[in-house]
Amino acid sequence: MKNREFSQVKAIIFDKDGTLLDFDAYWAVGSEKVMEDFLTRIGRNDISCDEILPLLGIHNGVCDINSVFCQNTFWEISEIIYEFLIKKGCGNLTRLQTYEFILDAYDRISDLGVIKPTCNNLRALLEKLKKQGIRLAVVTTDTAESTRKCLSALGIHDLFDKIYTDDGNAPNKPDPYAAFDFCRTFGLDKENVVMVGDTMTDIKFARNAGIKVISIAKNGENKKILAPHADAVIQNPSFISQIINLE
């Protein structure tokens, strides 16, 4: 059933991880190897990855949507790791070095993660949206290079009018900067723009920008968390056609 609230959608802003890209298959799978690489580099193989990953919200290859890893930037993730290392007596690293080492490890090891879409017909869906004149954007706290690699591997990089990443310059979600810039660039009214994402950060981003939000909840537990705050909840992007008017 179409939702009247979404009858005049002219632009959609997508989150990347967990919305377009299967989060656990890519990030949770690769993170153990990343931490092993990082600990080897700093000479602390006496520390187990199992001590660090839960601090980030990764448990047995699955990431909690309310976790630091799902919602925060690489700098904020590295801050947690830095504080943990200080408690472990590792005082020879600076905050900046920790961040740079973590970022470098993800750049080199992330190929171990599996890049797969959150639904089978992702490109076809996005192409249908484009054909109807709907502007598309991605807003993510991931780096520009990683984002390019993931979207290219998914075969959808060329379909977005604008891609916002953690470039160290513009503020990240939930700051509404990207939404405001997107609307200004393409002459969009916020009433005609919708955010699609899978975390509370995406919802906060949408509310801060004054736009509607459709949440992606792949299971019942996530739906319980997101539904009270979103305008609509769907299992994956393929259900967007059930919410907005697609011919």
Side-chain angles (χ1 to χ4, degrees), residues 2-243:
K2 300 297 186 293
N3 190 319
R4 289 185 179 179
E5 287 188 80
F6 299 97
S7 61
Q8 299 297 320
V9 173
K10 295 181 179 178
I12 300 176
I13 301 174
F14 287 93
D15 167 58
K16 177 171 72 71
D17 299 317
T19 300
L20 301 171
L21 173 73
D22 187 306
F23 191 98
D24 292 332
Y26 184 68
W27 290 108
V29 169
S31 289
E32 183 174 351
K33 294 298 181 182
V34 165
M35 293 308 157
E36 287 177 357
D37 178 86
F38 170 70
L39 292 170
T40 297
R41 182 169 186 175
I42 66 173
R44 291 304 303 262
N45 288 323
D46 58 306
I47 299 174
S48 169
C49 295
D50 292 338
E51 296 179 73
I52 297 178
L53 294 177
L55 299 176
L56 307 181
I58 301 174
H59 304 271
N60 300 317
V62 177
C63 196
D64 179 358
I65 64 166
N66 279 334
S67 68
V68 172
F69 202 93
C70 274
Q71 302 197 74
N72 296 67
T73 64
F74 276 116
W75 176 263
E76 291 164 325
I77 290 169
S78 70
E79 281 280 283
I80 289 176
I81 295 171
Y82 173 79
E83 296 294 339
F84 169 78
L85 292 174
I86 291 297
K87 292 178 182 178
K88 285 289 189 176
C90 186
N92 60 327
L93 278 181
T94 66
R95 293 178 187 274
L96 181 57
Q97 285 174 324
T98 303
Y99 168 71
E100 290 176 339
F101 288 177
I102 289 291
L103 202 59
D104 177 64
Y106 271 108
D107 284 341
R108 289 184 291 105
I109 306 292
S110 59
D111 286 338
L112 294 175
V114 179
I115 298 177
K116 67 178 184 178
T118 50
C119 62
N120 293 329
N121 60 339
L122 185 58
R123 182 173 177 91
L125 168 68
L126 297 177
E127 286 179 334
K128 190 172 185 179
L129 293 171
K130 292 282 287 185
K131 286 178 180 178
Q132 295 206 16
I134 295 176
R135 295 284 186 179
L136 303 179
V138 170
V139 179
T140 177
T141 55
D142 196 7
T143 64
E145 177 57 26
S146 178
T147 298
R148 183 202 60 76
K149 180 176 70 175
C150 290
L151 296 181
S152 295
L154 291 172
I156 59 175
H157 185 274
D158 60 304
L159 298 177
F160 295 99
D161 299 289
K162 196 82 171 177
I163 296 174
Y164 298 88
T165 63
D166 182 7
D167 60 4
N169 297 313
N172 289 301
K173 294 183 296 184
D175 188 286
Y177 164 80
F180 292 158
D181 182 77
F182 186 49
C183 289
R184 182 170 54 251
T185 299
F186 296 103
L188 299 163
D189 293 326
K190 63 182 181 180
E191 292 79 11
N192 303 128
V193 182
V194 62
M195 175 68 190
V196 178
D198 69 312
T199 69
M200 282 301 301
T201 294
D202 298 316
I203 291 176
K204 291 174 184 175
F205 168 78
R207 296 308 179 213
N208 289 341
I211 62 177
K212 296 180 180 67
V213 57
I214 298 173
S215 286
I216 301 289
K218 66 179 182 180
N219 56 47
E221 188 60 33
N222 290 0
K223 186 174 182 178
K224 288 179 183 178
I225 295 170
L226 300 170
H229 310 283
D231 296 303
V233 180
I234 55 179
Q235 188 174 4
N236 64 58
S238 67
F239 291 92
I240 287 176
S241 59
Q242 296 182 11
I243 301 295

